[in-house]
Amino acid sequence: SPNGSFLAAASHDSYIDIYHVRKAYKRVAACKGHSSFVRNLDWDVSSSFLQSCDATRTLLFWDALLGAQISSASSMRDVKWATQTCLNGWSVHGMYGSRSNGSEFTTCSVPHLSRQVIAAGDDQSNVRLYRYPCTHNNAKGLQFRGHSSPVTCVRFTCGDEHLISVGGADLTIFVWRT
């Protein structure tokens, strides 16, 4: 969590377990509600809420301290997220546009400091950059090629000087200057 007090761990059992770091990693909550394995999760800046996305692209919201699902997505619309790795939601829906080429996003990340762009990787070996939040339908972004297999992960370094992209079958790691 951004405040360093909690650790959220998701796995193929479709649960998210929350552990209290300062209490010898005692499990304090279990978030249950996904129908498939959890692929991504993000903390809010106050370390109170989580958003998570599973393999079926279902986006769920959680009270992290209770492990309780928040069923009203609209009540979470003004929450400021510390990270953005979930591929669904208001702040990223413009990336999808018509997606007429059939490609599918596999990963995304927002810089820690500037938060003005979002990087995304897709199954067609591309790394793409969009303005963040990316809310306009059919948003135009920049496309970069380099990988020869689907991009499995993109993340900005702590100081945002570089973007790291990881290829799947091509077994490559690219370091991009930002």
Side-chain angles (χ1 to χ4, degrees):
S1 62
N3 69 7
S5 296
F6 301 99
L7 171 70
S11 65
H12 275 265
D13 66 3
S14 74
Y15 301 147
I16 302 168
D17 293 315
I18 312 292
Y19 300 92
H20 198 295
V21 173
R22 296 184 184 118
K23 293 183 181 176
Y25 293 94
K26 178 183 176 189
R27 189 173 89 167
V28 295
C31 305
K32 300 177 182 179
H34 280 290
S35 62
S36 183
F37 65 91
V38 178
R39 292 183 56 166
N40 310 92
L41 62 86
D42 299 299
W43 286 95
D44 80 309
V45 296
S46 72
S47 301
S48 300
F49 302 108
L50 287 171
Q51 65 176 354
S52 57
C53 187
D54 67 21
T56 66
R57 302 289 174 116
T58 301
L59 178 66
L60 298 179
F61 298 98
W62 308 93
D63 179 315
L65 304 179
L66 301 175
Q69 184 177 341
I70 299 169
S71 58
S72 172
S74 63
S75 70
M76 303 300 289
R77 72 175 169 247
D78 294 326
V79 171
K80 301 222 183 304
W81 298 101
T83 57
Q84 178 66 59
T85 62
C86 289
L87 291 164
N88 295 34
W90 171 83
S91 61
V92 298
H93 80 270
M95 295 188 321
Y96 289 89
S98 63
R99 303 303 292 162
S100 59
N101 67 355
S103 65
E104 185 74 27
F105 287 112
T106 54
T107 180
C108 69
S109 182
V110 171
H112 306 281
L113 303 174
S114 72
R115 302 189 63 81
Q116 294 179 356
V117 298
I118 184 165
D122 68 24
D123 63 358
Q124 301 293 311
S125 311
N126 300 304
V127 173
R128 298 171 182 266
L129 287 178
Y130 297 91
R131 287 195 172 122
Y132 182 81
C134 189
T135 58
H136 293 68
N137 290 334
N138 297 314
K140 302 295 182 216
L142 301 174
Q143 176 179 309
F144 302 94
R145 302 251 335 145
H147 291 283
S148 62
S149 69
V151 178
T152 59
C153 189
V154 293
R155 294 294 182 268
F156 286 91
T157 56
C158 289
D160 297 336
E161 293 92 10
H162 298 93
L163 173 69
I164 309 295
S165 64
V166 179
D170 66 6
L171 303 175
T172 60
I173 299 172
F174 283 27
V175 180
W176 308 81
R177 272 181 281 203
T178 57

